[in-house]
Amino acid sequence: YGGRPGEGPVAFAGRLRETGAPGAEPAGAAVDLYVRARFGGDAADPELRDALNAAAAEARAALREARRR
């Protein structure tokens, strides 16, 4: 489920969602939150950072679980 050359994070998250990859939904949420923080001027918002970290952790946990199967 790695990224492709030239594929940005939004496109990568979309491809994960389209293929039903493990952790695709929380990974997509993490990308959405990252884009909001980076380009929307919300980088200093601690709630947004907490939500981003939680979504990323959930995506990593889903991927680890899928690898164990």
Side-chain angles (χ1 to χ4, degrees):
Y1 294 107
R4 296 176 179 160
E7 182 177 50
V10 174
F12 178 61
R15 187 166 54 83
L16 291 177
R17 286 175 168 149
E18 288 172 5
T19 61
E25 287 305 317
V31 169
D32 294 344
L33 290 164
Y34 163 76
V35 169
R36 181 176 151 201
R38 176 69 174 89
F39 301 105
D42 293 334
D45 181 351
E47 289 181 16
L48 186 139
R49 277 186 285 164
D50 289 346
L52 192 155
N53 288 332
E58 185 180 346
R60 285 191 301 271
L63 190 55
R64 277 193 303 272
E65 179 62 29
R67 287 180 177 163
R68 281 185 247 181
R69 295 181 188 166

